[in-house]
Amino acid sequence: PSSDESTGGDVQGGLNSAWGADRFTNPQLFVGRNLREVRAALPGGGTRIYGCVSLPTSKYIIDQFYPKGLNYSVLQPFFNKLQDHYCNYLPFNQTNITPEQCKAFHGQAGGPMSISPPVPTDTSFELTNDIKVAAGQQGIKTIFDPFNPANQDGSYVYNQHSFHNRVDPKDINSHRTRESTWSGYLPKDYRASHPNLSFRPLSRAIELIYQTDLPGGDFLFANAKPKVIGVVYLNKGT
């Protein structure tokens, strides 16, 4: 979400401190409300639970409020085509999703958005279980499949990971690496053919380098289409 300074931005509370970095979206049309993105810049690093999820709008909302012709039955095939859901790889006792439900609400394997269950051996698994317990104490149910319209009634929590590269999707404990802007803009096959491209952690881009910035570039590329050939960045502050 983008920062909306007109609404006060950081001063609206939350993690509003020397280490806080809350932001609010621009007001949504019609309702005029702002969505809050909780962010932290804690000394030594910090952890946050993101306020964004990857799942379709509920069937009820689509059928009642979407433009004419865009009902749930029309959009469902596109939702399915997007997914590479774990129910296509793992047995029912690990997914609680039947083969029939998997086919209806998740389609076939191979879509661009991988969806995986939490890794039972991962250190975050205990946290997700604590969240489910806390939610239940507040009357909020836990569901296994937010894509299934039968589960989209009321408030609920669910556990799933989106956009993860899985070494073996048929193994629930398989090692995973999370997708990022880097992999989103630069697919693996493109990176393989362009070894000059690299990823720099702990860095911040501050300026683009155009071919006209090269010695003599103003003359050589005066009539050429603008082209970025590099980037100036700070790494660990330098």
Side-chain angles (χ1 to χ4, degrees), residues 88-91 94 168-172 174:
N88 285 292
Y89 302 98
L90 300 174
Q94 293 181 334
D168 182 3
K170 295 182 180 180
D171 179 4
I172 195 172
S174 177

Side-chain angles (χ1 to χ4, degrees), residues 124-202:
S124 65
F125 195 74
E126 184 176 348
L127 171 62
T128 61
N129 286 334
D130 288 343
I131 291 175
K132 290 191 293 185
V133 172
Q137 293 172 346
Q138 300 300 317
I140 300 174
K141 62 185 178 182
T142 296
I143 63 173
F144 294 102
D145 188 6
F147 286 79
N148 188 337
N151 299 330
Q152 295 174 343
D153 181 33
S155 299
Y156 54 82
V157 295
Y158 64 95
N159 293 343
Q160 68 179 28
H161 297 157
S162 300
F163 297 105
H164 278 223
N165 290 319
R166 301 161 293 194
V167 174
D168 182 3
K170 295 182 180 180
D171 179 4
I172 195 172
N173 293 305
S174 177
H175 176 70
R176 307 171 191 171
T177 56
R178 183 180 173 187
E179 289 281 12
S180 65
T181 304
W182 158 253
S183 55
Y185 280 104
L186 299 175
K188 291 181 179 178
D189 56 347
Y190 188 87
R191 280 177 274 166
S193 61
H194 293 74
N196 60 309
L197 297 175
S198 59
F199 175 75
R200 290 289 182 267
L202 303 176

Side-chain angles (χ1 to χ4, degrees), residues 2-46:
S2 60
S3 173
D4 177 23
E5 297 301 336
S6 66
T7 64
D10 294 339
V11 301
Q12 293 199 18
L15 298 177
N16 182 30
S17 70
W19 311 112
D22 281 21
R23 288 291 185 269
F24 295 82
T25 64
N26 293 320
Q28 293 177 296
L29 294 177
F30 309 115
V31 293
R33 65 187 177 186
N34 302 89
L35 296 181
R36 171 181 164 192
E37 180 193 21
V38 180
R39 302 192 289 183
L42 303 175

Side-chain angles (χ1 to χ4, degrees), residues 78-99:
F78 296 95
F79 293 150
N80 288 358
K81 189 176 181 180
L82 171 69
Q83 303 173 56
D84 186 26
H85 199 277
Y86 59 88
C87 66
N88 285 292
Y89 302 98
L90 300 174
F92 174 79
N93 65 347
Q94 293 181 334
T95 67
N96 286 282
I97 299 174
T98 67

